[in-house]
Amino acid sequence: MQILRLSLDGAPRLGVVEDAMIAVLPPYLGDMVDVIRAGADGLAAVAAAVPGAPRVPLAGAALLAPIDRFGRDILCTGWNYWAHFDESVGKRGDQEVARPTAPVFFTKAPHAVIGPLDPIAYDARISAKWDYEAEIAVIIGKRGRSIRVDDAANHIFGYTLANDVSQRDLQRRHGGQWLKGKSIDGTMPLGPYIVTADAIDLSSVRLACLVNGVEMQSAMASQMAFTVAELIAELSFGMTLEPGDVILTGTPAGIGSAREPPVFLQEGDVVTTRATGLGAMSNMLIAADLYGASTVVIGAPA
Ligand code: MG
């Protein structure tokens, strides 16, 4: 099942994709997080509502981020494709590290999340080094702590796409902690829908990122350094994961900052994130005032 959120007559609604149409679900089902928290009963209620639900075309629908209610930051994985780790060796300034033996984790602030069709907020005064990172996102379906690798699948609600748009100068500026360069408001597309775990085989998924129609990243999900089950086991080790938590699983090789010469995103660029069975998102960088009255100088002169 492919479940999404859309804006219809000014109100957020849940929908299920069927062929080229969206079955618009009744409001009593709540939002995506309500459905996820309800577990198998939630999915059964969604399935039961689909046959009688009114339809609207998928094309042209005002899609929203599938989740917009967060209990914590977006959980993220760094360097989870070795070709991506290797491409930046020698390009991390004073932050060079050895290839990790355990997953690298960090978080993004929820205010970064935007919908699958929304513009990416862009302000050159915030950063001179805007970069793209196509990623597969895991949606946690069941609470758990210290989840075993062989039980991890039971904690996954489904998968969607994300783009971990990053500001490389901000990422390097703050003591080696990536939070700031990963958390700029309105910069992380999420969507276009959540594919429930039963409806996709990750081993056959190819993930790609295009900029202005040119493919910049492409890799099989099976090339992840640490599997999704291993990520869940390590991340949940002593730390409870909750239904509705979002885990980004890392980006493949081909990021702009590792290219010779580097490629950084500019106003008007269109970033497309797509994967087999997970659909596609296209997001244009549109000028926004993220700077306000700040006196911090990092990107272009204010
Ligand atoms: Mg990333």
Side-chain angles (χ1 to χ4, degrees):
M1 197 154 45
Q2 299 170 345
I3 312 179
L4 51 67
R5 291 176 63 247
L6 71 161
S7 177
L8 196 64
D9 300 327
R13 300 287 294 272
L14 281 179
V16 171
V17 180
E18 282 200 339
D19 301 318
M21 304 295 284
I22 300 171
V24 181
L25 300 177
Y28 68 76
L29 290 171
D31 70 4
M32 190 73 77
V33 175
D34 292 321
V35 168
I36 295 170
R37 285 179 179 162
D41 290 346
L43 280 177
V46 167
V50 166
R55 262 62 173 174
V56 298
L58 177 59
L63 302 187
L64 304 171
I67 293 179
D68 75 339
R69 185 154 65 95
F70 299 94
R72 60 166 19 130
D73 274 9
I74 312 302
L75 303 164
C76 303
T77 312
W79 300 327
N80 201 30
Y81 295 77
W82 291 137
H84 168 54
F85 177 84
D86 293 341
E87 71 181 343
S88 292
V89 169
K91 298 170 182 167
R92 298 189 178 98
D94 58 357
Q95 295 175 7
E96 291 297 331
V97 295
R99 186 184 271 206
T101 55
V104 171
F105 295 125
F106 62 96
T107 72
K108 294 174 78 80
H111 282 43
V113 175
I114 59 174
L117 306 170
D118 291 342
I120 295 167
Y122 174 81
D123 190 336
R125 298 168 299 177
I126 290 290
S127 168
K129 296 184 175 181
W130 291 70
D131 209 343
Y132 49 85
E133 293 191 0
E135 307 208 14
I136 294 167
V138 176
I139 312 299
I140 292 296
K142 188 174 94 174
R143 174 182 294 169
R145 183 174 64 203
S146 298
I147 298 163
R148 293 163 49 96
V149 167
D150 61 10
D151 187 37
N154 295 320
H155 291 262
I156 299 172
F157 178 78
Y159 300 90
T160 190
L161 292 171
N163 202 298
D164 181 20
V165 170
S166 305
Q167 295 72 30
R168 302 300 182 197
D169 36 15
L170 284 179
Q171 193 178 340
R172 310 261 184 265
R173 179 176 165 90
H174 298 285
Q177 295 288 329
W178 296 353
L179 174 74
K180 276 292 300 176
K182 298 286 192 176
S183 293
I184 296 303
D185 287 356
T187 56
M188 193 196 94
L190 187 70
Y193 39 70
I194 297 175
V195 180
T196 51
D198 61 302
I200 190 161
D201 172 11
L202 219 54
S203 69
S204 64
V205 170
R206 176 170 288 280
L207 170 67
C209 185
L210 293 76
V211 177
N212 301 327
V214 178
E215 188 172 274
M216 306 296 273
Q217 296 181 286
S218 177
M220 299 298 292
S222 56
Q223 292 174 264
M224 286 185 194
F226 300 97
T227 65
V228 168
E230 289 169 335
L231 296 179
I232 289 173
E234 294 269 0
L235 191 54
S236 72
F237 186 53
M239 176 182 129
T240 300
L241 297 179
E242 293 283 353
D245 281 353
V246 178
I247 306 173
L248 271 55
T249 57
T251 202
I255 60 166
S257 58
R259 289 172 177 267
E260 301 280 359
V263 175
F264 292 115
L265 298 170
Q266 307 289 334
E267 183 180 353
D269 285 347
V270 176
V271 178
T272 300
T273 311
R274 71 183 184 200
T276 325
L278 292 173
M281 307 186 285
S282 277
N283 305 85
M284 182 181 284
L285 278 76
I286 299 286
D289 182 5
L290 298 168
Y291 192 84
S294 176
T295 55
V296 175
V297 176
I298 181 167

